[in-house]
């Protein structure tokens, strides 16, 4: 069993890549669990299924018959399950709710909340199949963004401040053992822009500093340049052949008045500069010396076909 944690700056495609990775890992007949912990039902939305209850549901079948199950982990449910398991407190939920204990544990004490969430991930990841062996071959966690990931996974120190002994402490210890073991890797998703790349650089440093293992860097939504390679340098420097643009417009049956031609030349310069900036960001990422995989921008990233394409790319590139 392997636990793949997927983080990255907000909006870079964590949920999409986590789903693609889960499909890739399931290919060929394996059982994979895809989980989220932020109570946003992002997985259900992506796979177009009703909101996920607090129980695993099959959301996709991978190539070769493997299956992807999904679970939205909710801190309140995780706490109730936990109380039942460790203290045999059945139906204690409503009473605890009245006392405000649930709110305390799930919103006021963030360290406790995180250990409940990661504890549930661990429970699913290590669960045994009837008759022996792990139930899941891999677990993919659509995790909080880079800014919070090290703290989220570093439940040990968080909980140490709350309790020195008891089952919560023990739970935190075994969660930490799994998270720091060779079974867990933290992948970071980025796009080729300054801020997300900087967050990736900082995120890796922070993971290493907290004894967590950075995995791959996934460069998402990569687009090919729209202009030929040999023109990029000149265009970026502001030198664009306007006659050529005018001829192109004419050939396409469009009017090539000077204003349009100049505006298009400006677009070309902007585009060429962006291409060069993206290449710089790619260099910054390659200096990190982590396995790096590129995923192109695809128009159907919210469809199963798009997720399957991402899975195929990751597989072909050797990530799984
Ligand atoms: N490879 C891709 N090609 C095209 N669109 C993509 C790709 N990856 C993600 N997207 C789109 O980008 C948007 C953000 O993706 P996603 O929701 O996966 O990001 P996120 O990092 O999980 O966001 P959040 O931080 O809000 O959780 C979505 O509209 C998604 O469909
Ligand atoms: Mg998301």
């Amino acid at each position: 069993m392997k636990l793949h944690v997927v983080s990255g700056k907000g909006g870079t495609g964590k949920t999409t890549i986590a789903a693609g990775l889960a499909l890739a890992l399931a290919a060929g007949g394996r059982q994979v669990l895809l989980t989220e912990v932020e109570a946003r039902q992002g997985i259900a939305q992506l796979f177009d299924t009703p909101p996920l209850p607090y129980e695993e549901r099959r959301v996709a079948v991978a190539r070769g018959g493997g299956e992807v199950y999904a679970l939205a982990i909710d801190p309140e449910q995780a706490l109730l399950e936990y109380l039942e398991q460790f203290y045999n407190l059945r139906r204690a939920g409503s009473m605890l709710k009245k006392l405000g204990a649930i709110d305390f544990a799930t919103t006021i004490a963030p360290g406790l909340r995180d250990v409940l969430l990661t504890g549930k991930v661990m429970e699913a990841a290590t669960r045994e199949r009837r008759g022996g062996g792990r139930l899941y071959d891999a677990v993919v966690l659509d995790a909080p963004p880079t800014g919070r990931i090290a703290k989220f996974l570093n439940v040990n120190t968080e909980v140490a401040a709350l309790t020195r002994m008891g089952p919560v402490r023990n739970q935190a210890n075994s969660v930490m053992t799994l998270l720091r073991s060779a079974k867990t890797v933290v992948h970071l998703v980025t796009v080729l822009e300054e801020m997300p790349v900087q967050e990736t650089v900082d995120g890796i440093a922070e993971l290493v500093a907290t004894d967590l293992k950075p995995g791959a860097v996934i460069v998402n939504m990569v687009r090919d340049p729209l202009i030929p390679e040999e023109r990029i340098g000149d265009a970026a420097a502001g030198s664009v052949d306007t006659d050529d643009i005018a001829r192109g417009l004419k050939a396409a049956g469009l009017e090539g008045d000077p204003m349009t031609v100049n505006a298009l030349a400006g677009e070309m310069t902007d585009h060429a500069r962006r291409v060069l900036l993206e290449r710089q960001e790619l260099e910054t990422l390659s200096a990190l010396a982590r396995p790096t995989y590129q995923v192109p921008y695809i128009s159907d990233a919210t469809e199963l076909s798009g997720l399957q394409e991402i899975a195929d790319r990751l597989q072909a590139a050797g990530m799984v």
Side-chain angles (χ1 to χ4, degrees):
M1 196 286 304
K2 195 138 195 167
L3 172 58
H4 298 264
V5 180
V6 180
S7 181
K9 189 181 185 322
T12 53
K14 294 182 295 296
T15 305
T16 307
I17 295 297
L21 179 59
L23 276 169
L25 290 162
R30 276 166 299 203
Q31 307 289 305
V32 176
L33 178 66
L34 173 62
T35 65
E36 66 183 320
V37 289
E38 297 204 284
R40 285 174 45 192
Q41 292 289 341
I43 297 172
Q45 264 175 43
L46 191 54
F47 285 93
D48 231 353
T49 60
L52 295 164
Y54 191 69
E55 102 195 6
E56 285 124 76
R57 284 283 159 90
R58 192 176 79 175
V59 288
V61 175
R63 287 200 203 287
E67 294 174 311
V68 176
Y69 285 79
L71 172 67
I73 301 175
D74 169 76
E76 189 171 318
Q77 293 292 330
L79 176 62
L80 294 176
E81 187 180 73
Y82 179 83
L83 292 172
E84 191 172 320
Q85 197 180 331
F86 287 94
Y87 298 98
N88 206 15
L89 282 173
R90 266 172 216 283
R91 291 186 296 275
S94 64
M95 183 198 73
L96 288 168
K97 224 172 174 149
K98 269 187 212 136
L99 292 172
I102 305 267
D103 281 348
F104 171 75
T106 57
T107 61
I108 302 166
L112 197 53
R113 179 178 187 278
D114 290 350
V115 81
L116 288 165
L117 296 171
T118 48
K120 178 62 187 175
V121 174
M122 181 188 74
E123 184 274 317
T126 55
R127 196 184 308 149
E128 305 236 320
R129 183 183 289 141
R130 231 180 276 176
R134 295 269 172 261
L135 183 60
Y136 292 112
D137 300 300
V139 174
V140 180
L141 171 61
D142 177 11
T146 348
R148 286 191 279 127
I149 188 66
K151 201 166 184 207
F152 176 74
L153 296 176
N154 199 17
V155 284
N156 227 0
T157 17
E158 290 294 301
V159 169
L162 285 164
T163 166
R164 301 217 165 274
M165 289 173 285
V168 172
R169 178 75 242 190
N170 293 341
Q171 165 116 339
N173 283 340
S174 43
V175 167
M176 264 345 282
T177 304
L178 171 67
L179 295 180
R180 292 212 167 111
S181 76
K183 287 179 175 162
T184 303
V185 276
V186 185
H187 308 298
L188 296 178
V189 182
T190 186
V191 293
L192 292 177
E193 288 165 22
E194 199 180 334
M195 294 281 287
V197 166
Q198 190 56 48
E199 276 202 25
T200 306
V201 173
D202 296 345
I204 287 180
E206 213 185 338
L207 289 169
V208 171
T210 34
D211 249 342
L212 295 158
K213 248 176 298 339
V217 171
I218 297 148
V219 185
N220 193 21
M221 301 193 236
V222 176
R223 294 173 191 254
D224 284 334
L226 297 170
I227 50 179
E229 187 61 40
E230 64 273 12
R231 294 207 190 164
I232 292 174
D234 282 348
S239 158
V240 174
D241 183 352
T242 46
D243 290 345
D244 196 32
I245 293 180
R247 274 194 300 275
L249 285 170
K250 206 169 169 195
L254 297 165
E255 205 175 322
D257 62 283
M259 223 173 78
T260 308
V261 170
N262 282 331
L264 286 172
E267 293 279 335
M268 191 160 156
T269 294
D270 287 349
H271 178 71
R273 286 181 183 160
R274 208 187 127 189
V275 169
L276 294 184
L277 276 177
E278 287 183 356
R279 287 183 184 172
Q280 252 177 39
E281 300 303 341
L282 208 51
E283 268 176 40
T284 306
L285 291 173
S286 66
L288 291 168
R290 312 276 347 147
T292 302
Y293 304 99
Q294 296 195 18
V295 172
Y297 183 92
I298 49 176
S299 54
D300 56 352
T302 55
E303 309 284 328
L304 191 56
S305 55
L307 300 176
Q308 187 59 58
E309 188 181 333
I310 292 174
D312 293 343
R313 295 267 178 170
L314 295 176
Q315 218 174 1
M319 185 173 171
V320 295

